[in-house]
Amino acid sequence: MSAYHLDAKLAQQIVARTMQIIDSNVNVMDGRGRIIGSGDDQRLGELHEGALLAISQERIVDIDEGVARHLHGVRPGINLPLRIDGQIVGVIGLTGNPSQLRQYGELVCMTAEMMLEQARLLHMLAQDSRLREELVLNLIRVDELSPALMEWAQRLGIDLNRPRVAAVVEVDSGQLGVDSAMAELQQLQTLLTTPERDNLIAIVSLTEMVVLKPALNSYDRWDPDSHRQRIDHLLSRMTETGRLRVRISLGNFFTGPGSIARSYRTARTTMTVGKQRMPEQRCYFYQDLILPVLLDSLRGGWQADELVRPLARLKATDGNGLLRRTLVSWFQNNVQPTATSKALYIHRNTLEYRLNRISELTGLDLGNFDDRLLLYVALQLDNNHL
């Protein structure tokens, strides 16, 4: 018996389709001879002995009036085994005069088997897709590939030795109804997989999708700019064809054990930091946010509390944020007084006064490199530093 099982929903679809071909009641029996689809609802669930004969003898079984009287749950007709890959998975029965039905039987059986084959292929594709997703979810969570995971990938035809970089796609929640959102997500998956890009995709949550992209270009080199261009192109296509607003973050590229999991973690943190700092943008890149992404792991810990303490003293006194904005501009202009003064449209003496005031309030010497670094890191940890 084939590993494929005929279910009641498909059986009823076969009944509906075949009864359009032939003016006769049609029954579909499963591999155990029980009626699971019928033009006569009252017969559902009955054991059909004619189907059992067709299964056990592996042939078409005609049943006339005389034979029908000696079998349980059987009416005159013809019973044809349904096969997939040569294996019987069920029986289709046509009610009526066997001699008259014989000419239609093979056509009806062929139609039913085509529907079975199509359903099986769709089932296999769906199963393959689910297995690929599960593999991706495992890859982004483990730091070392187990033999079982490698065998799993091999069976799916996925080369785990191919270098990949992780991208996170975040969908803005609450924009559309569930049905519309699902349709948009399917469209997004299509955009990410066609033309064939060898992307591995998985849904991580209701609002997050991860894409493991081939990392190297045609010259086997890591080229972040080419990935930027592709992501910009994808976002423009999404804007043209869909209503769903998405954000995309690209993580860092790593090699060696756990490279995919590390890349995914940098992509997720890049998304978090990018939304905090540049909420108006739709795509973020690790290479643009290296320091704040690396420092983000400190957030919530005692180290971060210590690092931001001097800045907290400044903010407590700097009600209108003037001194904080001056400090940010000073760092943005590489602590160059002339460039900073021009950027702020102030005199150099004014800038010097403000920097001295910052030193007093923070207790840090801005002429000292370590103290400067402490303030710079504190700004990186401050969500509202810009």
Side-chain angles (χ1 to χ4, degrees):
M1 192 66 69
S2 170
Y4 182 81
H5 297 286
L6 178 58
D7 62 47
K9 182 178 179 181
L10 179 57
Q12 202 58 47
Q13 290 173 354
I14 291 173
V15 168
R17 178 75 63 84
T18 53
M19 286 183 70
Q20 293 174 352
I21 300 173
I22 182 170
D23 185 19
S24 171
N25 183 54
V26 175
N27 298 313
V28 174
M29 283 68 74
D30 63 15
R32 297 174 299 172
R34 196 164 297 279
I35 299 175
I36 58 172
S38 177
D40 180 358
D41 291 344
Q42 294 183 347
R43 301 200 65 186
L44 292 174
E46 290 183 4
L47 187 65
H48 195 291
E49 291 190 2
L52 290 175
L53 283 173
I55 293 169
S56 63
Q57 298 178 12
E58 298 187 4
R59 65 177 180 85
I60 299 173
V61 173
D62 294 341
I63 300 192
D64 57 22
E65 291 282 358
V67 175
R69 282 195 292 268
H70 295 89
L71 296 176
H72 174 72
V74 175
R75 297 175 185 175
I78 183 172
N79 296 279
L80 305 99
L82 294 173
R83 290 180 170 88
I84 291 184
D85 292 338
Q87 299 295 312
I88 296 175
V89 296
V91 175
I92 186 164
L94 313 179
T95 304
N97 187 325
S99 61
Q100 295 175 351
L101 292 172
R102 177 65 87 150
Q103 58 182 320
Y104 301 108
E106 291 186 7
L107 174 61
V108 169
C109 186
M110 182 175 68
T111 301
E113 287 179 344
M114 286 175 63
M115 292 179 69
L116 279 171
E117 184 63 27
Q118 183 181 38
R120 186 183 71 147
L121 289 173
L122 290 173
H123 174 77
M124 289 173 62
L125 286 171
Q127 187 177 49
D128 181 75
S129 177
R130 286 195 299 271
L131 288 172
R132 291 171 74 90
E133 276 203 295
E134 283 297 321
L135 176 66
V136 172
L137 292 176
N138 275 274
L139 290 175
I140 64 176
R141 291 168 182 158
V142 300
D143 290 321
E144 194 156 337
L145 300 179
S146 66
L149 204 59
M150 295 177 71
E151 182 182 355
W152 185 355
Q154 188 176 12
R155 290 189 177 187
L156 290 170
I158 295 171
D159 182 6
L160 292 185
N161 292 317
R162 184 172 191 185
R164 293 182 181 275
V165 62
V168 167
V169 181
E170 187 176 278
V171 179
D172 285 355
S173 58
Q175 298 174 34
L176 306 169
V178 174
D179 291 340
S180 298
M182 285 302 296
E184 295 276 337
L185 281 172
Q186 289 172 356
Q187 182 185 54
L188 176 58
Q189 283 187 299
T190 300
L191 286 172
L192 289 166
T193 53
T194 54
E196 178 57 46
R197 303 181 187 279
D198 196 24
N199 289 333
L200 301 178
I201 302 171
I203 305 297
V204 178
S205 70
L206 291 175
T207 58
E208 183 185 325
M209 184 183 298
V210 61
V211 184
L212 303 182
K213 297 161 52 66
L216 307 183
N217 61 19
S218 56
Y219 300 101
D220 285 333
R221 286 199 289 260
W222 162 242
D223 181 8
D225 289 337
S226 68
H227 288 282
R228 287 177 188 265
Q229 293 170 7
R230 289 179 183 175
I231 288 174
D232 288 339
H233 181 57
L234 173 65
L235 282 172
S236 66
R237 289 173 68 194
M238 279 297 296
T239 303
E240 292 169 3
T241 59
R243 293 171 291 163
L244 202 62
R245 286 172 60 81
V246 301
R247 298 177 191 269
I248 302 177
S249 64
L250 184 70
N252 196 20
F253 169 56
F254 299 95
T255 58
S259 57
I260 290 177
R262 292 171 66 191
S263 184
Y264 171 66
R265 287 194 285 266
T266 60
R268 281 202 75 185
T269 308
T270 298
M271 176 69 76
T272 301
V273 173
K275 288 195 301 181
Q276 290 170 350
R277 291 165 173 265
M278 299 165 283
E280 74 287 350
Q281 291 191 22
R282 311 305 296 179
C283 55
Y284 312 108
F285 301 94
Y286 171 79
Q287 282 73 19
D288 298 337
L289 298 163
I290 294 175
L291 184 58
V293 167
L294 295 177
L295 291 172
D296 192 74
S297 63
L298 297 175
R299 201 176 300 279
W302 67 268
Q303 297 97 331
D305 292 340
E306 287 300 305
L307 286 167
V308 300
R309 193 184 301 278
L311 186 63
R313 289 197 292 267
L314 174 64
K315 292 168 72 174
T317 308
D318 185 27
N320 61 6
L322 177 65
L323 295 179
R324 193 164 70 257
R325 289 193 297 273
T326 300
L327 184 62
V328 170
S329 181
W330 187 55
F331 280 125
Q332 287 177 340
N333 288 280
N334 297 314
V335 301
Q336 297 297 317
T338 302
T340 306
S341 300
K342 287 183 178 179
L344 294 172
Y345 302 101
I346 59 175
H347 194 275
R348 281 192 58 169
N349 291 340
T350 304
L351 173 64
E352 187 175 350
Y353 168 78
R354 291 182 186 178
L355 293 176
N356 288 334
R357 182 65 177 148
I358 290 170
S359 289
E360 292 174 9
L361 294 173
T362 61
L364 297 173
D365 179 6
L366 295 186
N368 179 278
F369 180 81
D370 283 358
D371 284 3
R372 285 184 186 178
L373 180 60
L374 282 171
L375 263 184
Y376 183 74
V377 170
L379 283 172
Q380 296 300 317
L381 289 168
D382 179 28
N383 292 341
N384 302 309
H385 79 284
L386 295 177

